[in-house]
């Protein structure tokens, strides 16, 4: 039960990161920069306490690079680019929430484990129905832009790949080593996107004469949000999540990701003063029921 509760807590924290990222975007940071600062800060802090196994075998390093790519740069770029291309963010939120189903199918194909029976399918459908009610929140708006749909599903696939790749290394390394490697490779694989934004002029990190834009970081809400994303949403949550995988499995853990839109709805109500309808409340209850059906054992 402890690990299920931890999985729920992590999913709820991650659900609030959408609002936190929106605050930073309004301050002038790009999605690639937000992810880079978020992972770089977490990596530097973790490096202060985790010095073991800096160098590991090449094969395992490649697996860690894939983890950093799938669970870091690729996931965040795909999701945030989809959000940037559409005014109907509910489309992105809904499609990304197919992650638990995609994970269960890939896990079944690769490891031949996991229950895809009637209870799991019913629970998934109920949870997805609840997610629909939550993300639409009384306003049914979908985007039929093929690129938005592809990028959203790519984000779901990227996180699913992260989930099924991690068992290849988690048995041989402690969670702090794996988490540290994920942050490092996440930053490295995000470098091309950062370079592109600097060259194309999309970035606001530097002023016209080349000086670093310190003014952007002079506001407490920017620093506070970055610290939250680095220390809590990245360092603490990734560390705990990787341990959760070991104890309850990747399929059961990812089922709690259905709660992401629920938390996002509540935090947006508190921080951004967005309204909550009765339909959204009903969606929250359906999501709880669906996850219970999936993880009842």
């Amino acid at each position: 039960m402890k690990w299920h509760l931890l999985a729920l807590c992590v999913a709820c924290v991650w659900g609030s990161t959408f609002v936190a990222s929106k605050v930073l975007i309004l301050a002038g940071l790009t999605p690639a920069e937000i992810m880079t600062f978020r992972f770089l800060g977490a990596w530097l802090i973790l490096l202060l306490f985790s010095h073991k196994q800096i160098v590991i075998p090449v094969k395992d390093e490649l697996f860690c690079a894939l983890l950093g790519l799938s669970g870091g740069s690729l996931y965040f770029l795909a999701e945030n680019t989809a959000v940037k291309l559409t005014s109907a963010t509910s489309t992105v939120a809904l499609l990304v929430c197919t992650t638990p189903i995609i994970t269960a199918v890939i896990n079944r194909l690769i490891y031949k484990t996991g229950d895809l029976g009637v209870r799991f399918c019913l629970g998934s459908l109920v949870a997805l129905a609840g997610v629909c009610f939550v993300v639409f929140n009384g306003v049914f708006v979908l985007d039929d832009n093929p690129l938005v749909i592809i990028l959203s599903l790519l984000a779901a696939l990227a996180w699913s790949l992260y989930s099924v790749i991690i068992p290849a290394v988690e048995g041989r390394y402690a969670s702090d080593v794996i988490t540290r490697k994920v942050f490092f490779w996440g930053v490295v694989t995000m470098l091309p996107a950062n370079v592109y934004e600097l060259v194309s002029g999309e970035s606001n990190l530097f002023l016209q004469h080349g000086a670093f834009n310190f003014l952007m970081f002079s506001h407490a809400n920017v620093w506070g949000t970055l610290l939250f994303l680095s220390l809590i949403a990245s360092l603490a949550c990734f560390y705990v999540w990787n341990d959760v995988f070991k104890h309850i499995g990747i399929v059961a853990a990812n089922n709690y990701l259905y709660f992401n839109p629920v938390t996002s709805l509540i935090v947006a109500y508190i921080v951004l003063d967005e309204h909550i309808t009765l339909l959204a409340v009903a969606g929250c209850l359906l999501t709880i029921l669906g996850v219970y059906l999936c993880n009842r054992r």
Side-chain angles (χ1 to χ4, degrees):
M1 180 59 68
K2 178 183 75 172
W3 296 105
H4 283 273
L5 289 174
L6 285 172
L8 176 60
C9 290
V10 171
C12 289
V13 171
W14 281 343
S16 68
T17 59
F18 181 83
V19 179
S21 297
K22 191 170 183 179
V23 170
L24 293 177
I25 288 174
L26 292 174
L29 288 171
T30 67
E33 290 165 352
I34 293 170
M35 183 271 176
T36 301
F37 282 119
R38 174 178 172 175
F39 271 33
L40 182 60
W43 177 72
L44 289 173
I45 295 170
L46 187 56
L47 193 61
L48 294 175
F49 304 97
S50 175
H51 312 291
K52 296 180 180 179
Q53 296 177 304
I54 299 295
V55 179
I56 61 176
V58 175
K59 180 181 177 181
D60 292 339
E61 196 71 72
L62 288 175
F63 275 121
C64 290
L66 287 174
L67 289 173
L69 175 65
S70 57
S73 55
L74 183 59
Y75 171 79
F76 284 101
L77 274 179
E79 182 183 60
N80 290 326
T81 303
V83 170
K84 187 177 179 180
L85 291 175
T86 181
S87 58
T89 55
S90 54
T91 304
V92 182
L94 180 60
L95 292 176
V96 170
C97 275
T98 60
T99 298
I101 298 174
I102 297 174
T103 302
V105 172
I106 296 178
N107 181 66
R108 183 69 177 178
L109 292 174
I110 295 178
Y111 298 111
K112 310 299 181 184
T113 59
D115 181 17
L116 298 181
V118 175
R119 191 187 70 239
F120 175 84
C121 294
L122 177 62
S124 298
L125 289 174
V126 171
L128 272 179
V131 169
C132 287
F133 290 168
V134 171
V135 298
F136 293 129
N137 197 18
V139 181
F140 186 83
V141 181
L142 279 175
D143 193 332
D144 59 357
N145 184 342
L147 186 57
V148 172
I149 295 173
I150 291 171
L151 287 171
S152 301
L153 291 175
L154 180 60
L157 177 61
W159 188 259
S160 298
L161 291 176
Y162 174 86
S163 303
V164 298
I165 292 171
I166 204 166
V169 293
E170 68 177 357
R172 296 193 295 278
Y173 301 99
S175 292
D176 62 307
V177 175
I178 297 173
T179 306
R180 190 187 68 225
K181 293 287 185 180
V182 169
F183 293 151
F184 172 78
W185 285 110
V187 172
V188 170
T189 53
M190 186 62 82
L191 285 176
N194 283 304
V195 171
Y196 171 78
E197 289 181 349
L198 284 172
V199 173
S200 63
E202 294 182 20
S203 174
N204 294 315
L205 279 179
F206 295 93
L207 303 174
Q208 290 183 351
H209 53 280
F212 190 80
N213 188 3
F214 287 100
L215 183 62
M216 183 186 297
F217 297 91
S218 62
H219 302 289
N221 64 325
V222 174
W223 276 109
T225 305
L226 281 174
L227 285 174
F228 165 75
L229 290 175
S230 291
L231 295 179
I232 307 300
S234 294
L235 196 158
C237 286
F238 269 83
Y239 183 88
V240 171
W241 193 254
N242 291 338
D243 258 355
V244 166
F245 276 160
K246 296 178 183 179
H247 289 85
I248 67 174
I250 60 176
V251 175
N254 275 351
N255 282 333
Y256 288 100
L257 296 180
Y258 286 122
F259 283 102
N260 282 2
V262 175
T263 310
S264 182
L265 179 79
I266 297 171
V267 175
Y269 170 76
I270 297 172
V271 177
L272 303 177
D273 199 29
E274 295 185 2
H275 71 287
I276 297 179
T277 64
L278 288 176
L279 190 65
V281 175
C284 294
L285 297 176
L286 280 176
T287 302
I288 294 171
L289 175 61
V291 174
Y292 169 74
L293 290 174
C294 289
N295 288 353
R296 185 170 56 182
R297 288 188 298 180

